[in-house]
């Protein structure tokens, strides 16, 4: 889904455990991404995150625990793709993190793995490190 300015947006989940952050890789892709996805028409960020994490990792997000971590954007003409905006939230969850059929694998990355994620995800990795949440 795109915002009012025509910029594609993704709502992403930032889950940190033991100085590592959860990322996923879709089938047919080399890069890893924060789990989440695009809003469907009329969805809020919370509704999007709940739906996407259920679809991708078969876990239930607690929307009441969501905290906005940051919004990251790459502009027009970026070599990877652009423009694109990623809205990142932390949140508690219930259930095991079990990849669904659309997810080839999940992984727990340290900051040193930053080169294995997309450009916009790398921006979030930098912010996590700057906030002393990832080393």
């Amino acid at each position: 889904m795109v915002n009012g300015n025509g910029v594609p947006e993704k709502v992403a989940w930032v889950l940190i455990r033991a100085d590592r952050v959860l990322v996923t890789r879709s089938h047919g892709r080399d890069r890893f991404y924060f789990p989440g996805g695009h809003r469907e028409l009329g969805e809020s960020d919370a509704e999007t995150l709940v739906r996407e994490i259920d679809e991708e990792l078969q876990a239930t997000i607690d929307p009441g625990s969501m905290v906005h971590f940051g919004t990251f954007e790459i502009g027009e003409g970026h070599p990877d793709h652009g423009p694109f905006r990623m809205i990142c939230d932390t949140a508690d969850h219930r259930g095991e993190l079990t990849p669904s059929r659309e997810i080839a694998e999940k992984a727990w990355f340290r900051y040193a793995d930053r080169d294995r994620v997309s450009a916009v995800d790398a921006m979030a990795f930098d912010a996590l490190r700057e906030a002393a949440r990832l080393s």
Side-chain angles (χ1 to χ4, degrees), residues 49-133:
L49 202 59
V50 167
R51 177 182 52 76
E52 287 287 344
I53 299 310
D54 179 54
E55 289 174 3
E56 293 180 1
L57 294 167
Q58 303 175 45
T60 304
I61 291 290
D62 174 5
S65 71
M66 285 178 63
V67 175
H68 183 255
F69 173 73
T71 299
F72 306 93
E73 186 169 340
I74 54 176
E76 189 74 42
H78 189 276
D80 285 347
H81 68 74
F84 185 78
R85 179 176 298 123
M86 184 172 69
I87 302 158
C88 295
D89 293 284
T90 62
D92 296 334
H93 76 283
R94 291 184 316 278
E96 294 296 319
L97 301 171
T98 306
S100 69
R101 66 181 178 278
E102 70 182 75
I103 301 299
E105 66 179 305
K106 71 175 186 185
W108 294 92
F109 278 9
R110 293 188 182 279
Y111 185 78
D113 299 305
R114 179 185 178 277
D115 63 333
R116 298 175 63 196
V117 301
S118 76
V120 72
D121 288 71
M123 295 169 74
F125 267 61
D126 292 342
L128 287 166
R129 184 172 191 178
E130 186 174 311
R133 300 195 60 195

